[in-house]
Amino acid sequence: MEDPVISELSAIANYPYDMLREYKRQGRRIIGSTLPDVPEELVHAAGLLPFTILGTNRPIRRAGALLPDNSCSLARSTLELVLTYETGLFDGFILPQVDDTTQHLSDIWRRRIPSSFFEPYLVPRQVDRPSSRQWLLDETHRLKESLERYTAGVISDGSLRRSIVLYNRNRRILRRIYAMKRKTPGLISNRAFFELIKSSMFLPKERHNRYLEQLLPRLEQELPSGRTRNLRFVVAGVVWEPPSLMTILDELGIEVVGDDLCTGTRYIEADASTDGDPVGALVDRHFHRGPFSPIHDKGNRILANLLDLVRQHGADGILYLRLKFFESQDYDLPDLKREIQAQGIPIYVLDTEYQTIHLAQTKTRIQAFAESLPGGGT
């Protein structure tokens, strides 16, 4: 029987909007943001509820007239969600810009979706440049001042530090559960674990922490499963889409032991310091996160990070989720795949897309890849 906390958070991860409407009725003002890297602590410290908008699998009806068919389906489905399906739910938006698609999306959003608050957030695309930290520091101060004007309040250093403590607590518990998952196969399924993270992107952190603080001791009391060693994968990409991919890996007995996903490790890794300037601490945390495809960094950090994950966690292979028409992934992939294979590490590239994916064929392909690995056919 599944833990009731896991069941409840999985339900929220798969459809958070009834919960969000209830907060709206209670008078909470909701600020939606798209991926990646908005400093949610600032929004929380302003007395607002931050919420990550992650698209929809319902049909595209209006976004197709605003974004071309060959634009990233995450951008198209995210725009469709607020244009068609969840209208009037959000009070404002923060849209980070990390590539051409997100820049265009931000411009369209500002013109087409009415809201009482809108800010783009210009994340530096070249974090290896000496000026990048100052750029992001200025940009984060600009966002802070805009939130203060919107709420007619002041985000004090003390309130921001309290938000940082709250968010650090959440990240630490999720990292702790991830470490337990790696150590004890079957302790928590791939889908259940990554939906813990996804639900954290939706729920107020105070409430999510209470759920996690109930769940953690129960997981810690679990004895090792005694199961034989599962195949272990590192999963690379942007998002788990469709979520059924996690279920497929569970059904095939494949344990995810590492990832670089925006809805995975990138969301929970690195804490912000509670010492010194809290805005500077949020900026520093950004530079301690793992690599992300649209953001250029010194050397080839994506490759180095994936190799490190494979070796650190004894992974048998890499499942690379290529989100169709996500341009920077298309640029990265040929060299990345060649270098990973040159290291003798198996990699399988799976094309994914919101709205349209044939899961039966997908399961067959992943199963075939798994069976090609040493120990995968037994």
Side-chain angles (χ1 to χ4, degrees):
M1 181 176 175
E2 192 170 63
D3 188 285
V5 166
I6 290 176
S7 298
E8 190 160 348
L9 292 182
S10 291
I12 291 171
N14 284 288
Y15 191 77
Y17 301 105
D18 287 340
M19 174 270 298
L20 209 57
R21 273 185 277 275
E22 179 57 33
Y23 281 116
K24 183 88 171 171
R25 282 193 287 272
Q26 294 172 11
R28 296 287 298 269
R29 284 188 288 179
I30 301 164
I31 302 297
S33 62
T34 53
L35 292 175
D37 300 345
V38 168
E40 294 175 299
E41 293 91 334
L42 265 184
V43 181
H44 178 271
L48 306 166
L49 175 58
F51 181 94
T52 306
I53 303 171
L54 288 174
T56 178
N57 275 309
R58 286 177 279 183
I60 297 292
R61 295 175 178 170
R62 300 174 63 192
L66 301 171
L67 285 169
D69 291 344
N70 63 348
S71 58
C72 164
S73 64
L74 171 60
R76 286 160 53 86
S77 67
T78 296
L79 181 60
E80 187 68 41
L81 181 84
V82 292
L83 275 174
T84 304
Y85 297 110
E86 302 299 343
T87 58
L89 189 53
F90 298 95
D91 295 280
F93 300 99
I94 301 172
L95 264 67
Q97 298 179 12
V98 293
D99 57 15
D100 291 346
T101 299
T102 51
Q103 180 179 342
H104 295 319
L105 181 67
S106 177
D107 293 341
I108 293 167
W109 205 293
R110 184 198 298 268
R111 292 197 301 270
R112 293 289 184 150
I113 301 172
S115 66
S116 57
F117 177 83
F118 180 91
E119 281 294 346
Y121 185 59
L122 278 63
V123 180
R125 300 185 189 184
Q126 297 177 324
V127 294
D128 57 340
R129 298 182 66 166
S131 59
S132 60
R133 186 187 184 281
Q134 186 61 50
W135 171 279
L136 191 59
L137 185 63
D138 293 344
E139 186 67 2
T140 307
H141 274 293
R142 186 188 64 77
L143 178 61
K144 176 176 177 286
E145 292 165 3
S146 181
L147 287 165
E148 288 174 332
R149 285 193 298 275
Y150 175 61
T151 59
V154 174
I155 302 174
S156 68
D157 285 358
S159 64
L160 185 50
R161 284 196 191 94
R162 286 191 289 277
S163 297
I164 288 173
V165 168
L166 183 73
Y167 277 66
N168 283 347
R169 171 71 175 159
N170 190 263
R171 289 187 281 259
R172 286 170 185 166
I173 296 178
L174 288 168
R175 293 199 299 266
R176 167 69 179 149
I177 295 175
Y178 207 168
M180 294 164 62
K181 177 183 185 302
R182 294 185 183 107
K183 187 176 180 181
T184 309
L187 177 69
I188 182 170
S189 68
N190 297 309
R191 181 149 189 168
F193 173 69
F194 284 98
E195 287 184 340
L196 292 183
I197 297 178
K198 190 175 180 181
S199 60
S200 176
M201 306 172 90
F202 300 151
L203 275 170
K205 283 294 184 291
E206 296 88 342
R207 182 176 168 188
H208 200 261
N209 280 356
R210 287 197 294 272
Y211 279 123
L212 294 183
E213 286 161 358
Q214 294 174 43
L215 176 63
L216 181 62
R218 293 203 285 267
L219 292 176
E220 288 174 329
Q221 289 172 5
E222 289 280 343
L223 295 173
S225 65
R227 294 173 57 177
T228 56
R229 181 185 183 280
N230 291 346
L231 279 179
R232 299 161 73 89
F233 276 10
V234 165
V235 176
V238 183
V239 293
W240 282 108
E241 186 54 43
S244 299
L245 287 175
M246 296 178 274
T247 304
I248 289 174
L249 296 185
D250 287 325
E251 290 173 350
L252 295 175
I254 295 166
E255 198 78 34
V256 176
V257 294
D259 75 279
D260 66 356
L261 303 173
C262 290
T263 51
T265 291
R266 188 172 177 81
Y267 187 72
I268 64 173
E269 68 183 339
D271 291 330
S273 173
T274 54
D275 299 324
D277 169 28
V279 176
L282 295 177
V283 171
D284 289 338
R285 176 177 179 256
H286 179 78
F287 290 92
H288 286 98
R289 286 175 160 175
F292 179 46
S293 184
I295 298 174
H296 182 270
D297 205 339
K298 58 189 174 186
N300 191 340
R301 280 196 67 205
I302 295 176
L303 173 65
N305 184 54
L306 290 177
L307 295 178
D308 183 61
L309 287 173
V310 168
R311 289 162 181 160
Q312 183 179 353
H313 302 303
D316 299 286
I318 297 173
L319 177 63
Y320 188 96
L321 306 180
R322 175 182 172 269
L323 194 59
K324 197 172 180 182
F325 298 127
F326 196 90
E327 289 183 358
S328 58
Q329 277 195 314
D330 292 340
Y331 293 136
D332 289 340
L333 191 53
D335 290 341
L336 190 65
K337 186 176 178 181
R338 183 176 61 250
E339 292 295 330
I340 288 172
Q341 289 174 330
Q343 297 284 331
I345 297 170
I347 177 172
Y348 183 73
V349 178
L350 181 69
D351 286 344
T352 66
E353 186 176 21
Y354 279 75
Q355 281 86 37
T356 56
I357 190 164
H358 304 290
L359 292 177
Q361 293 180 6
T362 298
K363 183 173 182 179
T364 300
R365 290 168 183 161
I366 296 174
Q367 186 171 16
F369 174 60
E371 289 176 352
S372 72
L373 302 175
T378 57

